[in-house]
Amino acid sequence: MPYANQPNVKILDLSDENVKFIIENTNLSVANSLRRLFIAEVPTVAIDWIHIEANSSVLHDEFIAHRLGLIPLTSDELIEKLQYPRDCQCDEFCPECSVEFTLDVKCTDENTRHVTTKDLNSSNARCVPVTSRQERSDFATEDNDILLVKLRKGQELKIRAFARKGFSKEHAKWNPTAGVAFEYDPDNCMRHTLYPKAEEWPKSEFSEVPEEEPQAAFDMSAEPEKFFINVESTGALKPETIVFTGLTTFKRKLNDLQTQLQQETAEEQLRV
């Protein structure tokens, strides 16, 4: 049986970092559900277990562990094959559910030694810091590497860590997006936003009113049904992968809800 309304999707822009698209013939709850799914329920790989063998830097262990956990790791080629830790049969860590990282740096001269993501060594070439993958591009510079800590002469940092699969509903370090934004009223005809001086506010890139008009006339009967969505990736996953995975999760959740509702209805009929 066909749905009462069939959403239409139009891709506006797709790059390595973000995807912009329009979704029409749907409502605000669906658009916001997609936004939340892209952020919170698309799995990635992030450092989750850390053993600091030596740390004589000025930063304490917890600070460094937190910085390591927030490093985006390339997950596109690995995420489907990697198991969640709770589903793996190993005792602690194995190649089926984790990726090992090591870092061993000691400053031996008078110049300050910058410890960056470039110093992280991965046991799996498919899972490396995003900045390491960018080094192969023509525009790569040393500034691309994420700074972890600075060492002076005699200081050292030695770490062994494991990255595991998860999603940001559990912790923000697994968030695959740098930001997800959407708008549904680029001309402000619904007046959901009240500007003190409308002419002083920048117009949306999707605005359709003439340049000399700051906003459209108020329309009391207008309802949100066209949404301009922008998904920006951290680099851990391709932006299109984030969207497709989010849609797959959305479909699975709706199917689970339908199955549960049918079971509840059948049980209710049996009671009667």
Side-chain angles (χ1 to χ4, degrees), residues 85-124:
R86 56 181 173 273
D87 298 330
C88 190
Q89 302 300 317
C90 69
D91 293 333
E92 288 188 344
F93 308 103
C94 72
E96 298 297 321
C97 68
S98 62
V99 178
E100 184 178 4
F101 286 85
T102 57
L103 185 149
D104 188 1
V105 179
K106 185 173 184 178
C107 182
T108 57
D109 55 31
E110 298 297 333
N111 295 325
T112 301
R113 174 68 158 87
H114 290 193
V115 181
T116 68
T117 48
K118 191 174 182 179
D119 298 305
L120 270 176
N121 300 310
S122 173
S123 63
N124 190 327

Side-chain angles (χ1 to χ4, degrees), residues 10 35 68 74 265:
K10 179 182 178 182
R35 181 188 67 83
L68 286 170
T74 56
T265 302

Side-chain angles (χ1 to χ4, degrees), residues 61-87:
D61 294 354
E62 291 81 2
F63 200 113
I64 293 176
H66 182 259
R67 292 181 65 82
L68 286 170
L70 294 178
I71 295 172
L73 306 175
T74 56
S75 309
D76 263 310
E77 301 177 17
L78 187 70
I79 196 66
E80 294 296 331
K81 300 176 182 178
L82 206 63
Q83 297 187 43
Y84 286 103
R86 56 181 173 273
D87 298 330

